[in-house]
Amino acid sequence: MAGRIRDDDIAEVREKARVDDVISSYVTLRSAGGGSLKGLCPFHDEKSPSFHVTPARQFWHCFGCGEGGDVFTFLMKIDGLSFVEAVERLSEKYGVQLRREDGDAPTERRGPNRSRLIDAHRVAQEFYADQLRTPDALAGRQFLDERGFDQEAAARFGVGFAPRDGEALTHHLRQKGFRDEETVAAGLVAQGRSAYDRFRGRLLWPIRDASGDTIGFGARRIFDDDRIEAKYLNTPETPIYKKSQVLYGIDLARRDMARSSQAVVVEGYTDVMACHLAGVPTAVATCGTSFGDEHARVLRRFLHDHEEFRGEVIFTFDGDAAGQKAALRAFAGDQNFVSQTYVAIEPSGLDPCDLRLQQGDSAVRELVARRVPLYRFVLGNVVGKYDLDRADGRVDALREAARLVSSVRDKSKVDAFAREVAGMVGVDIEEARAEVRRAAARGSRPTPTQAPPGRGEPEPAATPRQQLPDLRDPRFSIERETLKLVLQHPAVVGRTAADVGGNDFTHPTYRAVWEVVAAAGGPATAGHDEGWAARLRDAADDPAVSSAISALGVEPLPTAKEPDGAYVAAHVFRLLELTALRRIADLKSRLQRTNPVEQATDYNRMFGELVALEQHRRTLRERAMGEP
């Protein structure tokens, strides 16, 4: 076995493999200022980006979970590679010839390494694609043609054909130098009395990771005499293929997702093809499993899905009972996203592939454009089962809808959903809220066998007060630092904060602190009053607000210098800019839900508002940076 890789070659790989380039294959990164980039951490779930990349220092760090390192440690952690495997993969990608020194051989890992499994899949994909052009694959080509996919489309998506004899790929991989141990571990070959091809006589779609490496296949039955009845077969779980984390089409869709802040989740491989060819390049699909939490985490990383950059996730389902069940499952995971979730269903029941075939590309685009909020669709299905013209029908509809709403994990959305239910059923909002509270209480009660001896079923427990976010949460850092300036240096702040209002603070406690400040006349009236913070604390009625004022009044500022006007402006105008960003996001969301043809007046008015808001935001950014 070869010796260790030379240090100067490792250094060359590290220099050529830009850390931001490598990480952007897994995470959507946006500028964080000061030459730094940020995104949602791929190693823990978060809704506010704390994952930072500094290209100038070839380094990354997550302030949320504490992970960090260089380009090698990133690949080692995210793909489970050894150090040598990470160096080898990057050397191949960036064209660095590795030399090894004589000496002790490195310790060999158990089983084939990832690079060999990836190489085996690359060879297999090329083999299958070549086989699609053979006479034996006529049925496969006909299948594609009947669904509107020509040879160019097949090549674009890498579609291939597995020969029927059962050993063609096995022999081909052996000829290319792969051992049976490697091809079995890759899921390409199965082992019985002898090795044989896992896929035989089927049309194949290569399943790739975000970087474009093939890691598995989806296989569709095309021959009536196929002894395996399942219409689709997928690669089994392997060291590189985890179906709960894989999305078909992510390699093609990820850049458009980041650019448009939109993802479209469809149900099959041909639906992904149809969407991309029809002009919906953000389409992806799960591979032989339902959409779950891990899939949501993958999408969030590429959507840059957090509070300041809300996008949208659009699910397409069949209009039948199975589609409604899928919508319910998606609704259960709705709280995984900060982005708004929608559902797009063709009234005739056609999936995107059949819709494109029968009505053309524009019909697919229109399907996505007609999306409706997911929660409204799900609640509509629940309520629609009952006769709302009857009093008992309204009662039953309200009860079932309330049970669904009470199960929502993100309690901040419960009231909005309760309002929707009230409108759908035709009851008073307070009645809907009360039923949701009762449903939540019933869900948390002990069962009759768990009730205390000698007592009947206990009374519903009081609904706990909603827990507020941590005041030190990074999402509220600008709010915190601005209030510290207001409390500690009101004379420096002066009239700079004249345009600040309660709506500029998203944390309820910080908003309440500002309202106390405003009631006292604002920082411009405080001057050099040393008792300013104490007077504000005494004026606060809420103990939590009083405590916050005390903390903000003594906590050091993150600067060694005495704050001046420029320092104050950087915080105040950044605070106002964040408010503008939230208003822009809301306006964009309304624009996306407005038909520019049927509602031209409203659309043009909102577009004009958006242009003005964008200009206002740019002005605030310039003032925060001290530009004239």
Side-chain angles (χ1 to χ4, degrees):
M1 182 182 297
R4 65 189 299 272
I5 302 171
R6 291 178 54 167
D7 290 341
D8 52 349
D9 289 348
I10 293 175
E12 184 180 356
V13 173
R14 183 183 283 109
E15 179 182 352
K16 290 187 175 180
R18 291 179 53 83
V19 67
D20 51 325
D21 181 43
V22 173
I23 292 178
S24 64
S25 293
Y26 300 84
V27 179
T28 292
L29 299 173
R30 298 184 188 275
S31 175
S36 179
L37 304 169
K38 69 178 180 179
L40 292 172
C41 181
F43 304 122
H44 80 287
D45 197 20
E46 61 178 5
K47 292 195 174 180
S48 183
S50 57
F51 182 87
H52 284 248
V53 179
T54 308
R57 292 196 292 271
Q58 285 286 71
F59 205 75
W60 61 275
H61 180 80
C62 177
F63 290 94
C65 65
E67 294 288 347
D70 63 7
V71 68
F72 299 133
T73 55
F74 180 83
L75 282 183
M76 290 166 67
K77 181 167 180 63
I78 200 164
D79 283 335
L81 306 181
S82 68
F83 177 77
V84 171
E85 288 173 334
V87 174
E88 289 175 339
R89 187 200 290 192
L90 291 174
S91 69
E92 182 178 345
K93 180 177 180 179
Y94 291 94
V96 177
Q97 182 67 42
L98 296 180
R99 297 165 295 176
R100 297 180 183 268
E101 298 174 345
D102 295 332
D104 295 336
T107 302
E108 184 176 6
R109 296 182 66 180
R110 294 184 178 180
N113 63 39
R114 178 185 172 90
S115 63
R116 290 291 289 173
L117 302 186
I118 293 292
D119 286 344
H121 274 87
R122 175 180 52 78
V123 172
Q125 193 274 318
E126 293 170 353
F127 173 79
Y128 287 140
D130 288 340
Q131 293 299 310
L132 186 60
R133 294 190 286 268
T134 65
D136 291 341
L138 176 61
R141 295 194 297 274
Q142 290 175 336
F143 174 92
L144 293 172
D145 184 65
E146 289 168 358
R147 284 156 181 77
F149 305 125
D150 56 18
Q151 183 177 345
E152 182 180 350
R156 175 178 173 181
F157 292 91
V159 183
F161 173 74
R164 305 189 73 180
D165 66 15
E167 295 182 348
L169 179 66
T170 301
H171 292 319
H172 181 73
L173 290 171
R174 285 172 180 167
Q175 291 172 0
K176 293 294 184 179
F178 292 96
R179 304 189 307 275
D180 287 354
E181 174 195 4
E182 295 172 322
T183 56
V184 170
L188 297 167
V189 171
Q191 185 72 54
R193 293 181 179 177
S194 61
Y196 61 92
D197 297 354
R198 181 172 294 278
F199 303 116
R200 303 177 298 280
R202 292 205 166 209
L203 199 60
L204 294 171
W205 283 263
I207 300 168
R208 302 181 174 112
D209 64 17
S211 65
D213 288 332
T214 300
I215 57 175
F217 290 93
R220 203 224 191 255
R221 178 180 179 177
I222 54 175
F223 294 112
D224 293 337
D225 60 351
D226 192 327
R227 288 181 295 177
I228 301 176
E229 293 186 2
K231 181 185 293 186
Y232 281 97
L233 294 175
N234 291 282
T235 293
E237 296 278 306
T238 72
I240 62 173
Y241 180 85
K242 309 295 181 186
K243 65 181 180 181
S244 64
Q245 303 171 12
V246 171
L247 288 167
Y248 175 71
I250 192 68
D251 57 310
L252 300 174
R254 67 181 183 87
R255 296 192 187 280
D256 284 290
M257 282 183 187
R259 191 160 35 242
S260 65
S261 294
Q262 179 195 81
V264 177
V265 182
V266 298
E267 293 194 320
Y269 305 127
T270 56
D271 292 331
V272 171
M273 293 176 69
C275 284
H276 280 254
L277 294 172
V280 183
T282 58
V284 294
T286 59
C287 303
T289 186
S290 300
F291 188 89
D293 290 352
E294 290 298 315
H295 297 120
R297 286 187 63 184
V298 173
L299 282 187
R300 290 193 63 235
R301 294 207 310 268
F302 290 111
L303 283 171
H304 204 62
D305 178 47
H306 63 87
E307 281 77 1
E308 293 179 28
F309 293 92
R310 293 171 184 250
E312 58 182 35
V313 179
I314 304 169
F315 295 92
T316 66
F317 302 114
D318 292 337
D320 56 14
Q324 293 183 16
K325 287 183 179 179
L328 282 169
R329 286 195 300 270
F331 181 75
D334 173 73
Q335 295 80 42
N336 288 319
F337 297 102
V338 173
S339 293
Q340 303 300 309
T341 49
Y342 298 86
V343 61
I345 294 182
E346 171 60 31
S348 62
L350 297 175
D351 58 32
C353 180
D354 289 335
L355 181 63
R356 175 176 178 262
L357 190 63
Q358 295 185 23
Q359 300 181 30
D361 291 348
S362 61
V364 178
R365 296 193 296 271
E366 183 65 21
L367 168 66
V368 175
R370 289 199 312 267
R371 66 210 180 282
V372 297
L374 175 61
Y375 69 86
R376 187 173 297 158
F377 172 79
V378 171
L379 293 176
N381 280 338
V382 169
V383 171
K385 296 188 298 183
Y386 299 93
D387 183 357
L388 300 182
D389 290 332
R390 296 169 53 95
D392 58 342
R394 290 193 294 274
V395 170
D396 291 340
L398 179 59
R399 284 177 177 171
E400 184 172 351
R403 284 198 298 272
L404 189 67
V405 170
S406 69
S407 69
V408 172
R409 286 177 288 180
D410 185 347
K411 299 308 177 186
S412 67
K413 297 181 178 180
V414 168
D415 191 65
F417 292 162
R419 287 180 177 275
E420 289 285 339
V421 170
M424 291 176 176
V425 178
V427 298
D428 182 78
I429 177 60
E430 291 304 324
E431 183 179 351
R433 286 171 174 160
E435 187 59 44
V436 170
R437 288 195 293 270
R438 285 192 289 270
R442 285 192 294 268
S444 61
R445 291 181 187 176
T447 61
T449 57
Q450 296 171 318
R455 296 181 61 186
E457 188 175 321
E459 291 296 316
T463 303
R465 181 178 177 180
Q466 182 178 329
Q467 186 175 359
L468 294 177
D470 189 338
L471 286 171
R472 295 183 178 276
D473 189 308
R475 290 176 296 171
F476 311 110
S477 60
I478 290 294
E479 299 177 22
R480 186 177 187 86
E481 295 304 319
T482 303
L483 288 174
K484 283 162 61 176
L485 287 168
V486 167
L487 293 173
Q488 298 178 29
H489 300 277
V492 180
V493 175
R495 298 294 302 170
T496 305
D499 292 332
V500 174
N503 289 335
D504 294 309
F505 298 90
T506 57
H507 194 294
T509 302
Y510 289 151
R511 185 183 305 119
V513 169
W514 177 259
E515 288 170 354
V516 173
V517 171
T525 65
H528 296 280
D529 182 0
E530 294 182 357
W532 164 246
R535 287 196 294 105
L536 294 177
R537 187 182 188 283
D538 293 341
D541 296 328
D542 188 335
V545 177
S546 297
S547 176
I549 292 174
S550 295
L552 294 167
V554 299
E555 183 177 299
L557 296 172
T559 177
K561 299 179 179 179
E562 192 72 9
D564 57 11
Y567 187 87
V568 168
H571 287 78
V572 170
F573 293 123
R574 176 58 176 159
L575 179 71
L576 295 172
E577 183 191 6
L578 290 176
T579 301
L581 279 169
R582 291 192 295 273
R583 293 175 60 194
I584 288 169
D586 290 341
L587 195 54
K588 284 182 176 179
S589 177
R590 288 162 56 197
L591 271 172
Q592 289 170 346
R593 299 192 301 272
T594 304
N595 189 307
V597 177
E598 298 177 1
Q599 301 165 281
T601 301
D602 290 341
Y603 188 90
N604 292 334
R605 175 181 53 78
M606 286 189 288
F607 188 81
E609 292 177 11
L610 181 61
V611 172
L613 267 176
E614 289 282 9
Q615 179 58 49
H616 177 57
R617 184 199 65 78
R618 286 193 293 271
T619 300
L620 291 170
R621 168 58 62 88
E622 291 169 357
R623 297 183 71 180
M625 297 174 67
E627 297 178 8

